[in-house]
Amino acid sequence: MAKKEIKHVNLKEIKNPEFLKDMSYKELDVLSEDIRQYLIKIISKTGGHLSSNLGVVETVISLCKNFDFTKDKIIFDVGHQSYTYKLLTGRDLSTLRQKGGIGGFQKMKESPYDHFEAGHSSTSISAAAGLAFARDLKGEKYEIIAFIGDSSLQNGLAFEGLNELAQSGHKVIIVLNDNDMSISKPVGGLSTMFRNFSTSFIYRKTKGFIKLILRGRFGHWLLVKFTRVKNWFKRKLVNMTIFDNLGYSVIGPIDGHYIRQVDHALTRAKKLNKSVVIHVKTIKGKGYEFAENDIEGDWHGVSKFDVASGEIATKEAMVSWSSQYAIILKNEMAMNDKIVTIVPATGHGSALDSLFKIFPDRIVDVGIAEEHAFTFAGGLAVSGLHPVISIYSTFLQRSYDELSHDLARMNLNATILIDRSGLVGNDGETHQGIYDEAFLYTIPNVTIAMASRSNEALSLMKESFCNHGVFAIRYPREFFSTKGETVKKIPYGSWKIELEGKDTAVVSTGPLTLKLKEEITKAKKNVSLYNAIYLRPMDEAKIEQLLNYKRIVIYDPYSTKEGFVNALENRLFELGYTGQVIVKAIPTKFIRQATIEEQREDYKLQVKDIIDLL
């Protein structure tokens, strides 16, 4: 008898997930592989989060098969692992992360299937708890799923959400995607037996019946005794997790790549009347050799790459600002044993891998725990050490209180390396690094600086260790040409005059200052160009010079105007300046995904736009 031919689904014709319900497990396995190959092909052209999406294909298929997400609601923690979900809910991923295209995270305006959105981790459980509260308050009936990776549980917000949800009585299904990154798994036959038993139909019905018949004073006393015996049994014989101790039902661990097993777990979870954690084991990067064997994190979020060779697109003869500051920091740590570096799970992205090997005792990855990172730094600082916190701008905002309360308020010495400052391009609204300058300006005792050249970067790093309190150094997600430069100490708080001219002065910040200098020279414009290396404190002597110009252009393409731009403009007016001031800064908006150049073009922030003003 001939084998039945397995039909392939045309992925481009998917409108919604309904078709999954009529497919056999063999057909679903084929679909999983087709989706995996499709993701590899698409992401190789657009860039994006590869490994995390390859690892959850089967689990997401099972979720879409078992729930109706026109009524039920799912929140993907961070959202960077929602590509399969987007595809199954009728979205063409060929425009992934491109201007006007499909976003790299859940977006409510993009599809009615997206019920919340985030670009930072650890928000899903709290948001799900809120959705569940609202559902029950309104007397509605549907399921809510929080899909969270184990690393996201390291953030305090996730624990706060777990605590609230555990005591609230509002049901949420938490799918814990465990790819062997950080969570300790329950092991042993008794543990598995107890989980299967505690979520079974017979157990739940029997428990309810016993509660019903044991009413009254004696019955209540007997029930308490039985509960204590049960809990003793669990503590002594079962490997407990935080979820057990908080009162959640726990299913698993199960194989997240075995759809039949995931289906069975979801079916059990739907029957429960309380919150449940489904512990799913997956392989990050599954199906693509380079991603599957990656232990450094190179394939978590990637640029364009060649599928066959695994070669990732790079810029020749160019160095990233992340790499440059990593080299400088490595050299400083070699000379100063009081420096301790702290990273909140961003070490690889900020090119700090080698530091973990060279200084294993003086670099700490606290995981996705930005708030902890800064208060931890405060403890180091009061102990006579000098903490260096390396963090992305978009994640720095999560630490505003700790930076203010636990570092700046006590005027403690610390260096903050703010990577990805400015526009970041295709990650879109959630990841733009354009707000830190403004909110840092609201905190006393904070120095803010931004280099335009590598020698300035070195000078700023060295100055940050000279007892100035909190010293924040911003740098963009961009590359610069490597050229030999003479290193000169930049006096604290001073600017540099790049060009001298008449009538018009341009005050510029960051690496684009050099390109602006080049274009002004090429266009033979008779203007002065000030390189505002220190954004705070500002160079008062140079500001006095600006009063002599008829027109001043303030150009900050790395921040909104609420930071340095407003401060300089206000200072000029305080000093009685009556000339024309033109401001060119990023608007105070949530900037949508596009390339950095496209974003600058949209808001007239390219160097050519400044030249046109002169």
Side-chain angles (χ1 to χ4, degrees):
M1 184 177 176
K3 288 185 177 180
K4 182 181 178 181
E5 183 181 351
I6 301 293
K7 292 184 178 180
H8 292 261
V9 175
N10 187 335
L11 302 181
K12 293 183 179 179
E13 294 182 356
I14 294 175
K15 302 300 181 186
N16 59 60
E18 281 299 309
F19 71 97
L20 297 172
K21 293 177 172 60
D22 299 322
M23 296 181 72
S24 68
Y25 284 115
K26 285 186 178 179
E27 289 172 328
L28 291 172
D29 288 338
V30 171
L31 175 64
S32 299
E33 183 56 28
D34 288 347
I35 289 177
R36 199 165 265 117
Q37 294 306 314
Y38 173 78
L39 291 178
I40 294 169
K41 180 181 177 182
I42 288 294
I43 298 171
S44 73
K45 296 177 181 178
T46 64
H49 291 91
L50 181 67
S51 292
S52 51
N53 283 286
L54 295 181
V56 301
V57 174
E58 290 87 358
T59 302
V60 173
I61 287 175
S62 183
L63 283 163
C64 289
K65 177 174 175 285
N66 281 276
F67 295 94
D68 177 3
F69 289 119
T70 61
K71 295 183 299 184
D72 301 317
K73 301 184 188 300
I74 185 169
I75 303 173
F76 287 91
D77 207 280
V78 182
H80 65 259
Q81 74 282 60
S82 63
Y83 294 2
T84 297
Y85 179 75
K86 286 173 179 275
L87 182 64
L88 293 175
T89 51
R91 283 170 271 186
D92 179 4
L93 300 186
S94 62
T95 61
L96 182 67
R97 303 173 75 249
Q98 308 303 300
K99 184 178 180 180
I102 296 299
F105 308 90
Q106 283 185 293
K107 287 183 177 293
M108 291 185 288
K109 290 183 180 179
E110 184 179 284
S111 170
Y113 283 96
D114 289 356
H115 311 110
F116 197 73
E117 55 186 62
H120 295 174
S121 79
S122 315
T123 62
S124 63
I125 298 174
S126 293
L131 288 171
F133 184 99
R135 173 199 61 198
D136 297 344
L137 185 64
K138 294 190 289 184
E140 298 172 343
K141 301 291 183 182
Y142 55 83
E143 298 285 1
I144 297 167
I145 297 96
F147 189 100
I148 185 169
D150 49 2
S151 294
S152 295
L153 285 171
Q154 292 174 292
N155 187 284
L157 178 59
F159 284 107
E160 292 171 19
L162 280 171
N163 186 58
E164 159 63 22
L165 188 61
Q167 59 86 31
S168 71
H170 303 290
K171 182 190 173 185
V172 168
I173 298 172
I174 300 172
V175 178
L176 174 62
N177 175 35
D178 176 9
N179 47 34
D180 278 333
M181 296 298 289
S182 63
I183 191 170
S184 57
K185 53 188 179 296
V187 293
L190 280 173
S191 177
T192 302
M193 179 195 73
F194 185 83
R195 280 175 178 73
N196 291 338
F197 179 61
S198 67
T199 59
S200 69
F201 175 81
I202 294 174
Y203 173 84
R204 289 183 288 109
K205 288 297 182 183
T206 302
K207 184 177 179 181
F209 178 70
I210 290 173
K211 283 185 175 180
L212 184 65
I213 63 174
L214 293 181
R215 287 183 294 186
R217 183 175 297 177
F218 176 74
H220 176 73
W221 176 85
L222 197 58
L223 184 62
V224 170
K225 294 297 181 183
F226 282 155
T227 301
R228 288 177 179 173
V229 172
K230 181 194 74 171
N231 290 339
W232 178 90
F233 174 82
K234 288 168 66 176
R235 286 195 303 271
K236 295 296 182 181
L237 299 180
V238 179
N239 189 359
M240 302 288 286
T241 69
I242 186 174
F243 308 112
D244 295 291
N245 289 322
L246 284 171
Y248 289 91
S249 293
V250 181
I251 300 173
I254 62 172
D255 185 347
H257 302 297
Y258 187 19
I259 295 178
R260 188 190 297 269
Q261 200 172 110
V262 181
D263 276 0
H264 181 59
L266 294 174
T267 299
R268 289 165 61 191
K270 285 193 286 187
K271 292 178 180 178
L272 295 173
N273 59 5
K274 60 181 288 191
S275 290
V276 56
V277 175
I278 303 176
H279 183 174
V280 178
K281 293 284 294 178
T282 62
I283 300 171
K284 192 170 184 178
K286 182 176 174 59
Y288 186 55
E289 180 184 4
F290 299 104
E292 203 168 319
N293 296 330
D294 174 31
I295 60 174
E296 300 292 340
D298 291 325
W299 291 93
H300 172 73
V302 294
S303 304
K304 298 177 183 180
F305 63 93
D306 179 76
V307 175
S309 68
E311 187 174 331
I312 299 174
T314 58
K315 297 192 177 185
E316 296 182 4
M318 302 286 276
V319 173
S320 71
W321 281 100
S322 300
S323 297
Q324 183 66 20
Y325 275 100
I327 291 169
I328 295 171
L329 178 58
K330 180 176 68 175
N331 293 335
E332 292 300 313
M333 289 184 72
M335 294 184 289
N336 185 348
D337 61 9
K338 290 186 177 181
I339 298 174
V340 177
T341 297
I342 306 164
V343 294
T346 54
H348 181 71
S350 291
L352 298 174
D353 294 326
S354 65
L355 273 67
F356 286 91
K357 299 173 183 176
I358 301 171
F359 311 106
D361 297 330
R362 290 196 287 128
I363 182 166
V364 182
D365 188 342
V366 298
I368 305 174
E370 298 91 351
E371 299 93 335
H372 166 62
F374 279 78
T375 303
F376 176 64
L380 296 178
V382 296
S383 302
L385 300 176
H386 189 104
V388 174
I389 307 115
S390 174
I391 189 169
Y392 296 176
S393 171
T394 186
F395 302 141
L396 176 62
Q397 64 203 39
R398 306 187 84 166
S399 310
Y400 178 91
D401 177 64
E402 289 74 20
L403 195 163
S404 173
H405 184 271
D406 303 326
L407 280 174
R409 183 179 58 83
M410 293 179 277
N411 202 23
L412 298 176
N413 293 315
T415 301
I416 310 175
L417 299 180
I418 310 176
D419 199 349
R420 272 75 163 164
S421 290
L423 297 164
V424 296
N426 303 104
D427 281 332
E429 298 98 322
T430 58
H431 278 58
Q432 301 296 356
I434 61 179
Y435 312 109
D436 64 272
E437 187 182 296
F439 68 69
L440 288 174
Y441 245 96
T442 67
I443 303 175
N445 300 332
V446 176
T447 296
I448 312 168
M450 191 170 196
S452 63
R453 304 171 172 84
S454 60
N455 63 351
E456 293 168 5
L458 176 58
S459 180
L460 290 176
M461 181 77 86
K462 287 184 175 295
E463 193 67 43
S464 75
F465 302 123
C466 296
N467 301 317
H468 296 296
V470 177
F471 198 111
I473 303 174
R474 310 181 76 231
Y475 50 98
R477 188 181 190 178
E478 294 177 20
F479 293 78
F480 65 97
S481 179
T482 55
K483 295 180 180 179
E485 296 172 328
T486 302
V487 178
K488 293 182 179 179
K489 178 179 170 60
I490 302 168
Y492 178 73
S494 87
W495 299 351
K496 180 179 179 182
I497 301 176
E498 301 283 352
L499 294 171
E500 292 191 72
K502 294 182 179 180
D503 296 334
T504 298
V506 180
V507 181
S508 179
T509 68
L512 278 180
T513 301
L514 299 187
K515 186 176 180 181
L516 181 58
K517 178 181 180 180
E518 182 181 322
E519 293 302 316
I520 289 174
T521 303
K522 189 183 297 183
K524 297 181 179 179
K525 300 284 186 179
N526 187 19
V527 300
S528 293
L529 176 62
Y530 287 78
N531 181 355
I533 299 167
Y534 279 87
L535 309 175
R536 185 196 198 199
M538 294 184 292
D539 189 332
E540 288 291 331
K542 299 296 193 304
I543 294 175
E544 289 281 350
Q545 294 178 15
L546 293 177
L547 301 177
N548 298 316
Y549 292 90
K550 295 179 181 178
R551 187 171 60 156
I552 299 170
V553 178
I554 308 174
Y555 179 46
D556 187 350
Y558 300 99
S559 176
T560 62
K561 68 177 183 178
E562 282 76 20
F564 168 73
V565 170
N566 271 5
L568 176 55
E569 193 173 22
N570 289 339
R571 185 61 182 143
L572 287 168
F573 293 147
E574 285 173 357
L575 293 173
Y577 182 70
T578 56
Q580 182 186 17
V581 176
I582 300 174
V583 168
K584 298 294 290 184
I586 301 170
T588 308
K589 294 181 177 181
F590 293 111
I591 309 297
R592 295 182 179 179
Q593 67 192 41
T595 65
I596 293 175
E597 284 305 309
E598 286 172 335
Q599 289 165 342
R600 284 180 180 149
E601 186 174 7
D602 286 344
Y603 297 107
K604 305 292 184 185
L605 288 173
Q606 293 179 318
V607 167
K608 66 179 181 65
D609 297 312
I610 305 304
I611 296 298
D612 290 343
L613 289 172
L614 304 178

